[in-house]
């Protein structure tokens, strides 16, 4: 290969690589730098070391936001995974009705967060929502889903599950298609019941898909933002404010960029830790 | 398991789930066909006639929604086209040509998969402010182009194409660019379609970045525009109009979903199989 040919490959890769460095890698480093400064949106900066991080550890509003994010993740990921798996098992058949139902359960996933919250606002709101109308018809008072501090997080969780059920269901369906049918035939000869077949064949075969789903969903829900901002504005008094909304408010309402960046780095670590933990979980048995 | 019949209890649960999925969509649709004044008195009016197309006519008679729709189309199509070009070029380079630091650079790109948007969005906002890119189409499109997934995906696809194809063309004296353009690119159509659909969906529904980058109404994308009218709900022409906006704004993306359903399902199968 000639000397000029050695660099041809680089020419193909360069356009992407340049953008990647400028718009992703450089901001990543810049963010770590800003988190060590007191900085406003207009560029005035003073180096403060780890002060922002220390402040985060003592900030009750950040603690509340972190707690909300973890609670939301816990209230969304396990039910979402279980429902998606159940749907995939039920709808993994070649009938026309199953195809229609798969389409229905996936349809909400293509909507944007704005439309999803617009729809759910007028399901949940006590003055004109669908739930309130149904309750009224049954002679019961409306439920203040979007203003009762006990109910805002469940309301966000339900909205999110409705919105995101399609993708994990599709992933499980794809996983089910990979299981060879003859394993089930052999199990049927051994007179294994449905529960045994599920526990001994289906679940172990879906192990990788299961971990993939939990991993993707955990990473997504730790970063939950739009639903909370649009449906409840994080309220009442922060009861439903997740970490990303905290970051958004500190940066663009309070204009404290350094402090917001420190919170963003903490969230980055959290997402990274969750991802690594799940990678580690998938490792051991796969070597065998 | 697929050969077995579903028990009645399971069927009831699935149908209950289907009702919960469908009810919000139907409710939105019903509201969008009602006169705003009637809904103001009682939104239960949505369940009975008369229905009207008034709200949709109001949208078509020049609300900002058409402007936002055009912005969304420009940004999403621009992002999709840019992504396909960059990812195909880089994928071919990584998969087919040996050059210094190739492996290192590929790993460097893959590392980007672990970086969540939150870790870069604030400094990126600063950077774009310095470059004067806010409230511009370029500013809205660029961040959508640097996701490493596209490069990873195209590299895998090029690797799966038999090497004999390019080697024969190289012996015939064709340049790398000719081989890429004439020989290999036409073979990657399925991958282009899949990557294209996902990039389009992602860009169309993006919320965080346009929220902070497009602050002027004439540069709002649909997601941001609808968010702003949702928050100023009291000042809009009413519930029916708001819901008609939601329905209207969902139509393009539902068309994409219906047309490209096969690609979407196949891509899922691919993800799960890896």
């Amino acid at each position: 290969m000639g000397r000029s040919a050695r660099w041809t490959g680089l020419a193909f890769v360069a356009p992407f690589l340049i953008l990647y460095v400028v718009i992703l890698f450089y901001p990543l480093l810049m963010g770590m730098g800003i988190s060590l400064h007191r900085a406003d949106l207009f560029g005035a900066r003073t180096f403060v070391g780890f002060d922002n991080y220390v402040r985060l550890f003592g900030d009750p509003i950040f603690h509340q936001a972190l707690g909300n994010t973890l609670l939301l993740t816990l209230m969304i990921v396990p039910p979402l995974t279980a429902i998606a798996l159940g749907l995939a098992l039920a709808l993994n058949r070649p009938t026309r009705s199953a195809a229609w139902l798969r389409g229905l359960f996936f349809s909400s996933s293509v909507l944007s967060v704005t439309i999803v919250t617009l729809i759910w606002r007028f399901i949940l709101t006590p003055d004109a929502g669908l739930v309130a109308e149904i309750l009224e018809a049954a002679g019961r008072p409306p439920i203040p889903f979007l203003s009762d501090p006990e109910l805002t997080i469940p309301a966000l969780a339900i909205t999110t599950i409705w919105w995101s059920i399609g993708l994990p269901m599709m992933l499980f369906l794809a996983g089910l298609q990979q299981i060879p049918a003859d394993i089930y035939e052999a199990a049927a000869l051994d007179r294994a019941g449905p529960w045994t077949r599920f526990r001994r064949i289906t679940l172990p075969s879906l192990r990788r898909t299961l971990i993939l789903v939990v991993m993707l969903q955990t990473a997504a829900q730790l970063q939950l933002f739009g639903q909370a901002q649009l449906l409840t504005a994080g309220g009442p008094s922060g009861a439903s404010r997740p970490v990303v909304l905290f970051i958004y408010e500190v940066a663009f309402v309070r204009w404290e960029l350094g402090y917001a960046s420190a919170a963003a780095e903490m969230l980055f670590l959290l997402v990274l830790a969750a991802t690594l933990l799940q990678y580690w979980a998938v490792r051991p048995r796969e070597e065998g | 398991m697929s050969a077995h019949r579903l028990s009645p209890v399971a069927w009831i649960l699935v149908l209950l789930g289907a009702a919960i999925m469908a009810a919000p969509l139907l409710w939105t649709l019903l509201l969008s066909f009602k006169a705003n004044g009637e809904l103001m008195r009682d939104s239960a009016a949505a369940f009975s006639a008369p229905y009207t197309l008034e709200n949709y006519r109001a949208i078509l008679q020049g609300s900002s929604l058409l402007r936002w729709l055009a912005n969304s189309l420009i940004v999403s199509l621009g992002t999709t086209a840019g992504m396909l070009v960059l990812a195909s070029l880089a994928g071919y380079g990584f998969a087919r040509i040996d050059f210094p630091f190739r492996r290192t650079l590929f790993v460097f790109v893959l590392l980007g998969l672990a970086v969540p948007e939150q870790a870069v969005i604030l400094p990126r906002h600063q950077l774009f402010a310095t470059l004067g890119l806010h409230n511009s189409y370029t500013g809205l499109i660029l961040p959508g182009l640097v996701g490493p997934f596209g490069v990873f995906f195209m590299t895998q696809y090029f690797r799966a194409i038999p090497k004999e194809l390019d080697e024969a063309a190289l012996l015939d004296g064709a340049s790398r660019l000719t081989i890429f353009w004439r020989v290999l690119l036409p073979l990657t159509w399925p991958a282009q379609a899949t990557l294209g659909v996902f990039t389009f969906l992602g860009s169309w529904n993006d919320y965080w970045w346009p929220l902070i980058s497009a602050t002027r109404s004439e540069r709002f994308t649909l997601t941001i525009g609808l968010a702003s009218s949702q928050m100023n709900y009291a000042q809009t022409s009413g519930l029916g109009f708001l819901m008609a906006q939601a329905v209207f704004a969902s139509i393009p993306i539902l068309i994409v979903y219906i047309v490209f359903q096969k690609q979407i399902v196949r891509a899922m199968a691919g993800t799960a199989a890896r």
Side-chain angles (χ1 to χ4, degrees):
Chain A
M1 210 179 268
R3 199 153 25 125
S4 70
R6 269 173 61 78
W7 297 100
T8 318
L10 210 55
F12 277 95
V13 179
F16 174 81
L17 220 50
I18 292 168
L19 276 182
Y20 177 76
V21 169
V22 176
I23 301 179
L24 195 126
F25 193 68
Y26 172 62
L28 182 66
L29 299 180
M30 200 174 147
M32 294 173 186
I34 298 175
S35 75
L36 303 176
H37 289 75
R38 183 177 306 122
D40 63 31
L41 267 181
F42 307 102
R45 288 202 191 157
T46 345
F47 182 79
V48 294
F50 286 96
D51 276 10
N52 288 322
Y53 292 91
V54 174
R55 207 178 129 196
L56 278 176
F57 280 106
D59 185 345
I61 300 180
F62 180 68
H63 293 174
Q64 187 191 29
L66 198 60
N68 288 339
T69 289
L70 296 177
L71 185 61
L72 276 164
T73 307
L74 267 178
M75 284 183 70
I76 294 169
V77 179
L80 186 63
T81 309
I83 298 170
L85 178 58
L87 284 172
L89 288 170
L91 300 178
N92 183 30
R93 53 200 71 231
T95 61
R96 191 167 269 267
S97 55
W100 271 101
L101 287 168
R102 287 197 298 265
L104 173 65
F105 282 105
F106 190 76
S107 61
S108 62
S109 315
V110 300
L111 302 176
S112 68
V113 67
T114 318
I115 292 178
V116 169
T117 51
L118 194 52
I119 292 174
W120 276 84
R121 173 186 302 275
F122 294 104
I123 297 293
L124 297 176
T125 187
D127 49 335
L130 179 61
V131 173
E133 295 300 341
I134 293 170
L135 288 174
E136 195 190 308
R140 326 207 87 204
I143 304 171
F145 286 107
L146 303 178
S147 51
D148 183 333
E150 299 284 313
L151 295 177
T152 42
I153 288 202
L156 289 177
I158 291 169
T159 305
T160 307
I161 292 173
W162 183 86
W163 183 28
S164 345
I165 192 71
L167 181 71
M169 178 192 72
M170 290 298 221
L171 291 175
F172 280 129
L173 277 164
L176 285 174
Q177 301 280 331
Q178 312 258 325
I179 306 176
D182 47 359
I183 302 187
Y184 287 117
E185 281 155 25
L189 287 180
D190 288 345
R191 298 182 185 283
W195 176 241
T196 316
R197 283 199 304 270
F198 175 73
R199 249 192 42 225
R200 290 293 179 72
I201 304 173
T202 314
L203 214 51
S205 313
L206 285 179
R207 201 174 122 77
R208 291 180 55 117
T209 316
L210 196 65
I211 290 170
L212 179 77
V213 165
V214 172
M215 199 170 86
L216 289 175
Q217 287 304 326
T218 306
Q221 304 317 333
L222 287 174
Q223 301 180 65
L224 186 146
F225 169 56
Q227 301 94 299
Q229 194 221 1
L230 291 165
L231 261 189
T232 62
S237 52
S240 63
R241 181 196 292 117
V243 173
V244 180
L245 186 56
F246 174 86
I247 296 171
Y248 173 80
E249 287 175 358
V250 171
F252 297 103
V253 181
R254 286 159 51 186
W255 313 100
E256 290 185 72
L257 208 63
Y259 193 44
S261 295
E265 298 301 330
M266 296 300 292
L267 183 65
F268 176 27
L269 282 182
L270 193 66
V271 174
L272 205 61
T275 312
L276 291 178
L277 195 72
Q278 283 152 359
Y279 265 121
W280 174 77
V282 76
R283 272 296 140 88
R285 272 190 246 170
E286 222 159 73
E287 283 154 8
Chain B
M1 192 150 265
S2 57
H4 288 267
R5 293 187 48 147
L6 212 51
S7 74
V9 181
W11 257 118
I12 289 168
L13 285 176
V14 168
L15 290 179
L16 190 70
I20 295 172
M21 279 315 284
L25 299 174
L26 293 175
W27 173 241
T28 305
L29 209 57
L30 284 179
L31 288 173
S32 78
F33 289 116
K34 289 299 290 186
N36 293 299
E38 218 184 322
L39 292 176
M40 197 82 102
R41 284 190 297 277
D42 185 6
S43 55
F47 292 118
S48 53
Y51 294 105
T52 163
L53 285 171
E54 187 50 41
N55 296 317
Y56 289 93
R57 221 186 57 205
I59 289 174
L60 292 174
Q61 279 170 352
S63 64
S64 335
L65 200 71
L66 294 176
R67 177 72 207 236
W68 301 335
L69 181 75
N71 288 346
S72 270
L73 279 174
I74 292 169
V75 171
S76 301
L77 289 174
T79 307
T80 307
M83 172 62 97
L84 291 181
V85 171
L86 291 174
S88 301
L89 285 170
Y92 174 71
F94 278 127
R96 274 303 203 265
I97 314 176
D98 200 21
F99 56 90
F101 307 113
R102 178 170 74 157
R103 287 186 64 90
T104 320
L105 285 174
F106 191 60
V107 171
F108 174 58
V109 171
L110 286 191
L111 281 181
L113 287 172
V115 178
E117 195 176 20
Q118 271 67 45
V120 293
I121 200 160
L122 300 181
R124 190 183 277 162
H125 181 270
Q126 288 281 80
L127 181 69
F128 277 48
T130 317
L131 299 173
L133 285 173
H134 288 310
N135 286 303
S136 76
Y137 291 128
T138 318
L140 287 169
I141 289 173
L142 281 177
L145 300 181
V146 297
F149 176 76
V151 173
F152 174 70
F153 183 74
M154 289 313 295
T155 305
Q156 300 289 81
Y157 204 86
F158 276 112
R159 273 189 186 145
I161 300 174
K163 258 204 157 129
E164 289 74 31
L165 277 176
D166 355 1
E167 275 157 12
L170 265 183
L171 287 179
D172 287 347
S175 76
R176 286 289 189 181
L177 198 61
T178 315
I179 297 172
F180 168 72
W181 186 250
R182 290 276 171 76
V183 183
L184 291 185
L185 206 57
L187 298 175
T188 61
W189 266 118
Q192 306 279 351
T194 304
L195 181 59
V197 172
F198 275 91
T199 309
F200 187 89
L201 284 175
S203 175
W204 184 271
N205 288 339
D206 193 16
Y207 181 64
W208 222 143
W209 178 251
L211 176 70
I212 58 176
S213 182
T215 46
R216 288 211 308 266
S217 166
E218 72 265 25
R219 279 293 181 272
F220 280 177
T221 58
L222 263 183
T223 47
I224 305 311
L226 278 181
S228 77
S229 46
Q230 182 176 354
M231 300 223 243
N232 301 324
Y233 166 52
Q235 287 138 50
T236 59
S237 352
L239 185 52
F241 183 68
L242 207 54
M243 291 323 217
Q245 286 193 321
V247 175
F248 191 81
S250 315
I251 292 171
I253 206 68
L254 285 176
I255 291 175
V256 170
Y257 169 49
I258 290 163
V259 171
F260 290 98
Q261 218 168 3
K262 275 219 176 74
Q263 273 81 10
I264 294 176
V265 172
R266 202 182 304 134
M268 307 276 182
T271 322
R274 264 209 310 275

